[in-house]
């Protein structure tokens, strides 16, 4: 659905993209995540044909965006960071105008408009001028225009920015519904948004992709946590002696029991230490209270990448 290869873009001395490549398949819902200034909007503008890259290629539906800009734009539903709405127009007048601009045939317009209006829950607000709507409803109008022509691909630039918590939940639910029939790429700097909506995240920092993986892969570690009823003599040394282990941290579990965070060596272990630890605990007759794989939150992954980025820059 989307193929991006080695994209570069500078604005004067600012290198916004430094060789960005990724592929998005049909039916995926992917979060493009990054701090302010990471280059998210630049990627989206290139993909939607509103900005020319300095180098690299962007393809949508197998078509080069630069060569087939109009055809690509006709197949994408795009919600820019600030949707170009006309505050004096009513919702229905605006959507009708967008349907004309999209060259949706007159006989199909009623169906297309009703579907977009119901999908975005705008039916009660059709006769209100857009300028009088709350920000959340204006965002719905932006989404309604993006789906009018039933695009198979939706590209949304920070769709919930500036909304209150209730509006955020509503827009997320709407995106979830739209994901049933479309591939979706959306940008955000909100980690929980990606966790709430996506299977996969592309993390962008300083114009480079720092991670591109399914959330479950990002969360997985080769570490494990072993909680015991009491501290057996020599347990720490025994754990440290395992060849798959690069370190052991001793701490107290929340309910006050001795706990060991066993850091797996990604080079040696198969990624899951728990069977090995279970066997070891049985062998030594340790009173096991809990044994689990350690997982990371997206926030931990993001912070680690941000720290690496700062260290690399200095
Ligand atoms: P945000 O989350 O703040 O919207 P972003 O990840 O979308 O950020 P971009 O808007 O793509 O980031 O910007 C990437 C870099 O390029 C930033 O350093 C930004 O200041 C710079 N930049 C973007 N547009 C322009 C422009 N028109 N002229 C000069 N610099 C620009």
């Amino acid at each position: 659905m989307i193929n991006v290869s080695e994209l570069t873009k500078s604005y004067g001395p600012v290198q916004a993209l430094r060789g960005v490549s990724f592929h998005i398949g049909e039916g995926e819902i992917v979060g493009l995540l990054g701090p302010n200034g990471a280059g998210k909007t630049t990627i989206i503008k290139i993909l939607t044909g509103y900005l020319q890259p300095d180098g690299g290629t962007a393809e949508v539906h197998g078509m080069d965006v630069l060569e087939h800009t109009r055809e690509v734009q006709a197949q994408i539903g795009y919600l820019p960071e600030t949707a170009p709405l006309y505050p004096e127009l009513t919702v229905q007048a605006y959507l009708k105008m967008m349907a004309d601009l999209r060259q949706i045939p007159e006989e199909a317009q009623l169906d297309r408009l009703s579907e977009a209006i119901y999908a975005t829950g705008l039916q009660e607000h059709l006769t209100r001028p857009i300028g009088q709507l709350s920000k959340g409803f204006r965002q719905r109008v932006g989404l309604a225009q993006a789906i009018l022509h039933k695009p198979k691909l939706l590209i949304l630039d920070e769709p919930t920015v500036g909304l209150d918590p209730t509006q955020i939940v509503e827009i997320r639910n709407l995106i979830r519904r739209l994901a049933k029939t479309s591939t979706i790429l959306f940008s955000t700097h909100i980690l929980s948004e990606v966790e709430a909506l996506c299977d996969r995240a592309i993390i962008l920092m300083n114009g480079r992709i720092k991670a591109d993986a399914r959330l479950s892969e990002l969360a997985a570690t080769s570490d494990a946590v072993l909680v015991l009823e009491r501290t057996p003599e020599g347990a720490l040394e025994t754990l440290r002696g395992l060849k798959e282990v690069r370190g052991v941290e001793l701490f107290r579990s929340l309910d006050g029991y001795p706990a060991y965070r066993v850091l797996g060596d990604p080079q040696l272990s198969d990624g899951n230490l728990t069977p090995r630890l279970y066997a070891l605990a049985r062998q030594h007759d340790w009173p096991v209270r809990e044994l689990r794989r350690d997982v990371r939150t997206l926030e931990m992954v993001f912070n680690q990448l941000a720290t690496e980025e700062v260290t690399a820059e200095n």
Side-chain angles (χ1 to χ4, degrees):
M1 192 61 97
I2 296 180
N3 249 323
V4 160
S5 176
E6 289 301 320
L7 279 186
T8 54
K9 176 73 192 172
S10 294
Y11 301 97
V14 179
Q15 265 192 292
L17 300 181
R18 304 163 189 247
V20 166
S21 306
F22 60 85
H23 168 83
I24 294 179
E26 203 169 320
E28 284 196 271
I29 168 157
V30 178
L32 186 57
L33 183 65
N36 291 130
K40 305 181 293 294
T41 299
T42 303
I43 291 179
I44 284 181
K45 283 188 180 161
I46 291 172
L47 274 176
T48 49
Y50 291 96
L51 190 69
Q52 206 165 324
D54 297 337
T57 55
E59 282 177 12
V60 171
H61 289 295
M63 290 181 286
D64 187 284
V65 179
L66 274 183
E67 281 173 31
H68 303 277
T69 310
R70 290 243 172 260
E71 292 97 313
V72 167
Q73 285 174 343
Q75 298 205 18
I76 295 179
Y78 172 38
L79 178 70
E81 210 169 0
T82 38
L85 303 173
Y86 297 85
E88 65 287 357
L89 288 187
T90 62
V91 172
Q92 65 184 8
Y94 170 74
L95 291 178
K96 166 77 175 106
M97 181 186 83
M98 294 310 289
D100 290 338
L101 283 177
R102 284 275 182 201
Q103 296 178 330
I104 297 172
E106 200 69 37
E107 63 279 11
Q109 283 198 5
L110 188 60
D111 276 357
R112 302 285 350 109
L113 284 164
S114 323
E115 221 171 284
I117 287 163
Y118 277 98
T120 49
L122 281 169
Q123 55 274 28
E124 312 276 309
H125 303 269
L126 295 177
T127 54
R128 293 183 65 189
I130 292 172
Q132 290 179 14
L133 296 176
S134 68
K135 198 161 185 334
F137 271 94
R138 285 205 296 274
Q139 201 68 337
R140 288 172 189 231
V141 177
L143 276 166
Q145 66 76 26
I147 60 174
L148 265 183
H149 55 304
K150 274 198 156 178
K152 283 265 159 249
L153 174 63
L154 271 174
I155 298 184
L156 316 172
D157 199 353
E158 307 216 13
T160 61
V161 75
L163 303 186
D164 73 29
T166 317
Q167 294 166 337
I168 289 177
V169 171
E170 285 170 8
I171 295 293
R172 280 185 191 164
N173 287 339
L174 177 56
I175 293 173
R176 248 181 236 117
R177 285 202 297 279
L178 295 172
K180 290 189 181 134
T181 49
S182 309
T183 305
I184 298 186
L185 171 68
F186 73 92
S187 75
T188 182
H189 55 264
I190 308 168
L191 300 171
S192 58
E193 191 129 293
V194 173
E195 286 174 324
L197 288 173
C198 304
D199 302 326
R200 175 177 157 205
I202 297 177
I203 301 180
L204 194 70
M205 283 177 188
N206 245 326
R208 281 197 197 91
I209 290 184
K210 301 296 292 180
D212 177 357
R214 300 181 70 76
L215 295 192
S216 52
E217 289 163 2
L218 288 173
T221 70
S222 47
D223 306 339
V225 173
L226 172 67
V227 184
L228 301 178
E229 299 280 347
R230 54 181 169 74
T231 315
E233 209 175 312
L236 190 60
E237 293 69 29
T238 307
L239 288 167
R240 282 192 174 138
L242 291 176
K243 72 171 178 359
E244 301 93 333
V245 166
R246 67 189 155 85
V248 183
E249 295 164 2
L250 185 57
F251 65 103
R252 288 232 154 248
S253 67
L254 283 178
D255 47 0
Y257 290 90
Y260 304 80
R261 177 168 292 106
V262 187
L263 310 176
D265 184 338
Q267 310 294 325
L268 286 174
S269 69
D270 67 351
N272 185 7
L273 270 181
T274 51
R276 183 77 185 93
L277 296 184
Y278 180 70
L280 195 74
R282 286 199 62 167
Q283 183 190 336
H284 292 274
D285 215 9
W286 292 340
V288 176
R289 192 174 166 80
E290 192 185 335
L291 174 61
R292 61 181 152 85
R293 284 188 85 163
D294 206 13
V295 288
R296 301 185 296 176
T297 60
L298 193 53
E299 187 177 347
M300 289 156 88
V301 174
F302 192 84
N303 287 341
Q304 189 188 337
L305 291 172
T307 311
E308 284 170 14
E309 184 67 16
V310 171
T311 316
E313 287 285 301
N314 293 328

